[in-house]
Amino acid sequence: MRTRSGTTTRRRHKKWLKMAKGYWGLRGTAFRRAKETVIRALNFAYRDRRQRKRDFRRWWVVRINAAARLNGLRYNELMYGLKLAGITLNRKVLAELAVNDPEAFTALAAKAKEALTNKPTVTLPIAPQWD
């Protein structure tokens, strides 16, 4: 006598249909359509968890740049000036300061400006002349 897999199949189908709950039409009720849709949704979720990190960084840079320009600097000048001044704040914190505490951001921009003006000049060695 052969073994029948009714309970195993039903359990597997119910697992996918549970994940597809709330989908429109056959996407939420028919096993094959539900499974296709859930796999697609999971792929989007995986991709967009990484995309969200990029989006946040982009928003932070835009906010920092806007605040920097209010203080007479460009974004790259501000970041380089902060690096020269030894101030190691990440972009998330800088963006938060730019929005919620403009006075503190202005103080940081002033430090960056000062570090840029007092930047030590680097002289490159002259290449030897070969005969």
Side-chain angles (χ1 to χ4, degrees):
M1 181 169 187
R2 70 183 184 91
T3 57
R4 291 160 48 175
S5 59
T7 54
T8 308
T9 302
R10 184 165 49 255
R11 192 172 294 130
R12 184 168 43 86
H13 286 200
K14 283 177 73 173
K15 180 181 74 173
W16 286 100
L17 290 170
K18 183 179 177 185
M19 285 192 277
K21 189 178 280 192
Y23 288 2
W24 192 83
L26 288 179
R27 290 172 175 243
T29 55
F31 169 69
R32 183 179 295 183
R33 298 293 167 258
K35 184 176 176 184
E36 289 168 356
T37 307
V38 167
I39 288 173
R40 181 178 162 92
L42 291 173
N43 281 331
F44 283 140
Y46 177 83
R47 179 198 70 189
D48 290 338
R49 279 195 298 273
R50 281 134 193 87
Q51 185 72 46
R52 182 176 46 209
K53 294 165 182 57
R54 292 177 228 158
D55 290 341
F56 271 114
R57 185 180 171 107
R58 185 177 301 140
W59 294 331
W60 295 333
V61 168
V62 167
R63 289 175 179 174
I64 294 166
N65 188 27
R69 287 181 186 268
L70 290 175
N71 289 291
L73 288 169
R74 293 191 306 264
Y75 171 78
N76 61 336
E77 292 171 340
L78 174 76
M79 297 308 282
Y80 183 53
L82 290 175
K83 183 179 180 180
L84 289 176
I87 299 170
T88 56
L89 291 175
N90 62 19
R91 285 159 185 82
K92 181 179 180 179
V93 173
L94 285 171
E96 186 70 25
L97 285 174
V99 173
N100 294 324
D101 195 359
E103 296 84 19
F105 190 87
T106 303
L108 287 173
K111 294 248 186 201
K113 249 186 222 181
E114 182 185 324
L116 284 171
T117 56
N118 299 334
K119 181 174 74 167
T121 57
V122 177
T123 56
L124 297 174
I126 299 170
Q129 298 296 321
W130 301 104
D131 293 330

